[in-house]
Amino acid sequence: MSLKKALLAATLLSLPMAATANAQSWDPRTTGIYIGAGAGTNFLDDSDSNRGISASFEWGYIGTLSVGYGFGNGLRLELEGSYRQNDVDGISTPGGNVPRTTGTVRSYGLMANVLYDFVLGPVVPY
């Protein structure tokens, strides 16, 4: 066996031990207070009334802010606030479309969340 092959074999055999040692010392679960934020797009479905009036909306955006506390054992408590906005695309009535329709739909939300972090190697779903 050449020296290169011996070094390669020794390196490959030591990788699982190094990964195991690193995984035991690395704990991704949150401890203490944390702050989170998110942004994205949202789709608001068409709104129909029992009088035949229908409103359609454009794609909008969403923003969220959260503050929470992690106990270090995987359990987290969190308070989350959100804001969504969609512009009106059009309004139609039984007699036809309403011309030059404008408007905005805004939605605010507040949630209390209880989360648990599952440590599955390098992946931590909650």
Side-chain angles (χ1 to χ4, degrees), residues 33-78:
I33 296 175
Y34 66 91
I35 297 172
T41 62
N42 72 322
F43 176 75
L44 184 59
D45 202 9
D46 292 350
S47 177
D48 299 321
S49 75
N50 57 2
R51 295 183 181 179
I53 299 172
S54 176
S56 60
F57 305 95
E58 297 177 359
W59 280 82
Y61 62 89
I62 179 173
T64 63
L65 291 174
S66 59
V67 62
Y69 186 83
F71 294 95
N73 60 359
L75 184 64
R76 294 186 285 145
L77 299 178
E78 180 178 271

Side-chain angles (χ1 to χ4, degrees), residues 13-26:
L13 289 173
S14 67
L15 284 177
M17 289 183 286
T20 303
N22 189 22
Q24 290 172 353
S25 65
W26 178 70

